[in-house]
Amino acid sequence: MKKKNHKYIFVFGGVMSGVGKGVATSSIGRILQAKGFKVNPIKVDPYLNVDAGTMNPTEHGEVFVLRSGLETDQDMGNYERFLGLDLKSENYMTSGMVYKSVIERERNLGYRGKCVEAIPHVRDEIISRIEKSADINGSQISVVEIGGTIGDFQNALFIEAARVMKMSHFDDVLFVMVSYLPIPNKIGEMKTKPTQNAVRQLNSFGIQPDIIIARSEIPLDKKRKEKIAISCSVRPENVISAPDIESIYEVPLNFEKDKLGEIILGFLKLKPQTKTDLVAWKSFVNKLKNAKEEVNIAIVGKYFDTGDFVLSDAYLSVIEAVKFSAFHLNRKPKISWINSKDFENGHSKEMLLGLKKYDGIIVPGGFGESGVEGKIKVIQYAREHKIPYFGLCYGMQLATIEYSRHVLGLKDANTVEINPNTTHKIIDVIPDQKKLIAEGRYGGTMRLGAYLAVLKKGTIAHKAYGKDIVEERHRHRYEVNPEYIEKLEENGMVFSGCSPDGTLMEIAELPQNKHPFFLGVQFHPELQARPLTPHPLFTEFLKAAIGHKKRG
Ligand code: GLN
């Protein structure tokens, strides 16, 4: 299925992981969009999990759920945010997914008696998935990010697929390597050797990079560019300097300084379709850089066990959603991490008093028992002290439990996820989920992806969205137990959003005469927050937080 004239840009990582290959891929997409092209980003993950849903966020970062319900890698979130697109399942693949379809085809005699092998069969499955993805979106350019680093054993088949695609698409395929130039402390000089070695390694796969994006702490000087050029067989102007910068959203603008867009189009023999339009993007970046007045937001979570730097990845979309709305309101977000488990020990009283300094509190999504009682204490404090509170998924369920315990007086109110035998099962398993759990079928079986919610007029939610029906993405197995809805409502909780058939509670809030902002959502609004279109509920929450700060 070879799509005519479609262009493919493959992005490989050299030297080491974690240097921003995903951001580079997203930024390449953004600048091509700015030149009038329809861009189709594809992420290829070498692991054997069929999707990212079964992975622990502390090890792998957050699970980003697509509209379709596919559970993917956090890079997909970056693509959606940079490109303003709702991506499809075809924009993502893992080795597990690829092998699964090859094996299923083999079981169904799809290979007609052949011996099924990694090459050609698995490789060709990869190619056909990339080509199919290019086909469905009406796009002109696919930017394919190959996960992992060159030299890893696991991604070799994907690199081989890229090489073979070059053979069948020739001028329509471009290779980019994102590399890293260390400045060792003792030497104090930027070293090009690791990049040279990484390019050699890529060469050994039969691939010559056309462009090298050189990540480093500081910009590359002319000498380094020339050295890389001569030793890696690229022209000096095709070595793009990518120094560390304050915000990832500046990367497309920086790339443009080195004329990366023009260079790419030159290679692909394309003419820009419009004058480069990065006006809205630049104005967002300006707001981001110029915001001075702070708004203090606390995120109360439990994924704190592996050190702070991993932590932010586990809640990446939540952090970005807070930032977009804060910048939109010309505020500088100061995000603090609070370990919910700290509220479960003897010092919880003093800890709770410490919450006073925050303008708003978020309890994000989560699973299982650990840290839950601490979260409930924090929610109670926020409710009783009128600190703006925003609960995301688990954060909504726990707010409902807190309300049931302390307002309705149902002391053992709980979720059956934690205590299946509790008398008051305020949060119960969604009926369809019962069989799946009993059979131990966990992978990709939650209530996932986009569903509609109907909003009640006169509520915070309705005011924020400014419409009657919204679509949001989900990832959960449990819900507010319908048996308790009436009781909760009689006691002042308002279910301001529910599924169109009225059975599933999607948004719970308290009226504004009782609390400036106490709202929880069963879905994940953070997944749809974008730099140029911040999410209305995050914006409403931040407005309340700013108001709270003013009142002092
Ligand atoms: N653990 C809860 C559930 O499965 C909440 C999930 C979440 O926060 N994503 O319903």
Side-chain angles (χ1 to χ4, degrees):
M1 211 198 316
K2 187 174 158 184
K3 190 175 173 189
K4 253 190 117 198
N5 295 331
H6 190 87
K7 309 289 182 185
Y8 298 91
I9 302 172
F10 286 93
V11 182
F12 308 101
V15 179
M16 62 190 203
S17 64
V19 296
K21 192 155 38 85
V23 170
T25 305
S26 309
S27 301
I28 289 174
R30 189 72 196 81
I31 53 182
L32 293 171
Q33 263 186 346
K35 292 178 188 303
F37 293 95
K38 271 199 167 169
V39 174
N40 179 53
I42 302 174
K43 174 78 198 277
V44 164
D45 268 329
Y47 46 73
L48 282 174
N49 303 57
V50 173
D51 58 46
T54 52
M55 277 186 277
N56 181 342
T58 36
E59 278 168 37
H60 193 76
E62 86 175 350
V63 176
F64 190 84
V65 183
L66 302 184
R67 211 174 155 251
S68 66
L70 186 69
E71 297 166 286
T72 71
D73 179 82
Q74 60 180 22
D75 275 325
M76 295 295 281
N78 275 329
Y79 298 172
E80 288 206 351
R81 288 186 281 269
F82 274 75
L83 302 175
L85 296 173
D86 286 333
L87 297 175
K88 300 209 162 75
S89 300
E90 286 81 358
N91 291 97
Y92 185 67
M93 79 178 88
T94 68
S95 293
M97 220 183 254
V98 171
Y99 275 97
K100 190 165 175 259
S101 29
V102 170
I103 290 168
E104 272 168 11
R105 193 173 305 129
E106 181 274 327
R107 291 288 81 189
N108 299 330
L109 289 181
Y111 293 101
R112 298 174 184 273
K114 287 234 164 64
C115 169
V116 182
E117 301 191 76
I119 293 178
H121 301 105
V122 176
R123 178 198 66 201
D124 290 353
E125 171 67 22
I126 296 167
I127 295 175
S128 99
R129 280 172 179 257
I130 293 173
E131 289 181 336
K132 183 173 172 216
S133 174
D135 225 26
I136 55 165
N137 291 333
S139 57
Q140 294 142 301
I141 308 175
S142 290
V143 192
V144 190
E145 178 186 347
I146 307 292
T149 311
I150 296 160
D152 291 350
F153 196 70
Q154 299 95 303
N155 60 12
L157 275 174
F158 293 105
I159 300 176
E160 168 65 2
R163 184 190 68 81
V164 169
M165 281 190 75
K166 176 87 179 173
M167 300 319 294
S168 54
H169 297 260
F170 293 106
D171 291 347
D172 293 336
V173 172
L174 178 75
F175 295 132
V176 177
M177 191 173 86
V178 180
S179 182
Y180 190 75
L181 283 83
I183 309 174
N185 248 343
K186 289 260 156 45
I187 305 173
E189 184 195 325
M190 189 186 281
K191 305 305 279 181
T192 62
K193 188 68 83 196
T195 299
Q196 298 180 35
N197 288 337
V199 170
R200 296 254 149 79
Q201 251 176 327
L202 189 57
N203 290 159
S204 72
F205 284 94
I207 290 179
Q208 167 62 35
D210 301 296
I211 295 169
I212 295 176
I213 295 178
R215 290 274 300 108
S216 190
E217 263 173 57
I218 54 171
L220 255 68
D221 55 15
K222 201 164 160 253
K223 194 173 146 210
R224 271 353 100 149
K225 281 195 178 186
E226 279 165 0
K227 193 159 182 195
I228 292 178
I230 192 82
S231 56
C232 302
S233 316
V234 293
R235 294 164 79 100
E237 61 271 27
N238 298 341
V239 179
I240 308 295
S241 171
D244 288 351
I245 32 177
E246 201 185 309
S247 157
I248 55 171
Y249 300 103
E250 283 178 76
V251 174
L253 306 179
N254 255 17
F255 279 178
E256 266 312 76
K257 274 189 206 145
D258 266 8
K259 302 210 169 4
L260 180 58
E262 240 172 71
I263 295 170
I264 290 175
L265 295 188
F267 271 111
L268 295 173
K269 301 193 174 57
L270 291 171
K271 291 222 154 38
Q273 316 250 307
T274 53
K275 220 174 129 253
T276 310
D277 180 7
L278 282 166
V279 178
W281 196 263
K282 274 185 189 151
S283 105
F284 162 71
V285 170
N286 279 342
K287 278 195 161 188
L288 169 163
K289 288 179 116 171
N290 295 324
K292 295 223 161 45
E293 210 178 314
E294 282 183 352
V295 55
N296 277 312
I297 304 297
I299 300 182
V300 187
K302 69 157 183 178
Y303 296 125
F304 289 77
D305 305 323
T306 42
D308 276 7
F309 59 99
V310 188
L311 178 71
S312 52
D313 271 3
Y315 300 113
L316 186 62
S317 293
V318 179
I319 301 168
E320 298 310 295
V322 169
K323 285 188 196 164
F324 302 153
S325 290
F327 296 140
H328 178 69
L329 299 168
N330 297 313
R331 288 297 191 287
K332 185 176 176 164
K334 190 168 167 235
I335 295 173
S336 308
W337 301 103
I338 297 193
N339 186 351
S340 59
K341 287 181 196 161
D342 290 347
F343 292 85
E344 293 173 357
N345 60 31
H347 306 292
S348 70
K349 266 223 173 75
E350 298 90 82
M351 293 282 306
L352 284 167
L353 286 175
L355 293 174
K356 273 208 178 104
K357 58 177 178 286
Y358 300 111
D359 307 319
I361 296 175
I362 292 177
V363 172
F367 295 84
E369 189 174 5
S370 115
V372 155
E373 288 304 319
K375 288 182 190 172
I376 292 177
K377 277 192 187 159
V378 172
I379 297 170
Q380 181 182 8
Y381 189 89
R383 184 176 57 77
E384 290 175 350
H385 294 80
K386 300 200 187 325
I387 303 174
Y389 171 74
F390 194 14
L392 311 171
C393 204
Y394 217 14
M396 177 236 199
Q397 297 177 353
L398 298 178
T400 316
I401 291 169
E402 187 280 315
Y403 204 74
S404 305
R405 283 189 192 172
H406 306 120
V407 179
L408 276 61
L410 310 175
K411 283 202 173 53
D412 70 344
N414 214 333
T415 163
V416 298
E417 181 174 352
I418 295 176
N419 182 1
N421 301 319
T422 195
T423 348
H424 296 291
K425 301 178 172 63
I426 298 297
I427 303 298
D428 202 358
V429 63
I430 303 174
D432 304 349
Q433 290 287 328
K434 280 196 179 125
K435 197 161 169 266
L436 296 165
I437 299 175
E439 291 168 1
R441 288 170 50 202
Y442 290 109
T445 58
M446 281 188 242
R447 182 170 179 254
L448 287 166
Y451 287 92
L452 296 178
V454 180
L455 306 182
K456 202 176 266 170
K457 290 206 170 68
T459 58
I460 302 176
H462 192 273
K463 187 180 124 209
Y465 281 106
K467 51 184 171 183
D468 299 337
I469 298 181
V470 295
E471 186 194 273
E472 292 285 359
R473 298 185 198 170
H474 297 69
R475 184 173 188 248
H476 63 123
R477 285 189 206 280
Y478 302 86
E479 60 161 335
V480 176
N481 185 344
E483 286 173 27
Y484 287 89
I485 292 171
E486 218 178 289
K487 214 159 178 198
L488 284 159
E489 282 181 330
E490 279 167 12
N491 285 278
M493 186 162 262
V494 177
F495 290 102
S496 50
C498 59
S499 58
D501 65 1
T503 57
L504 261 154
M505 297 304 108
E506 295 278 20
I507 311 177
E509 59 180 80
L510 292 182
Q512 266 174 321
N513 59 10
K514 290 222 181 82
H515 193 288
F517 189 101
F518 188 88
L519 185 144
V521 289
Q522 185 55 83
F523 44 82
H524 291 276
E526 69 273 18
L527 301 177
Q528 298 202 97
R530 311 258 164 91
L532 304 186
T533 49
H535 194 284
L537 287 180
F538 275 91
T539 306
E540 204 60 32
F541 165 65
L542 273 142
K543 277 186 195 161
I546 293 165
H548 181 79
K549 185 177 179 160
K550 278 204 186 110
R551 282 191 301 274

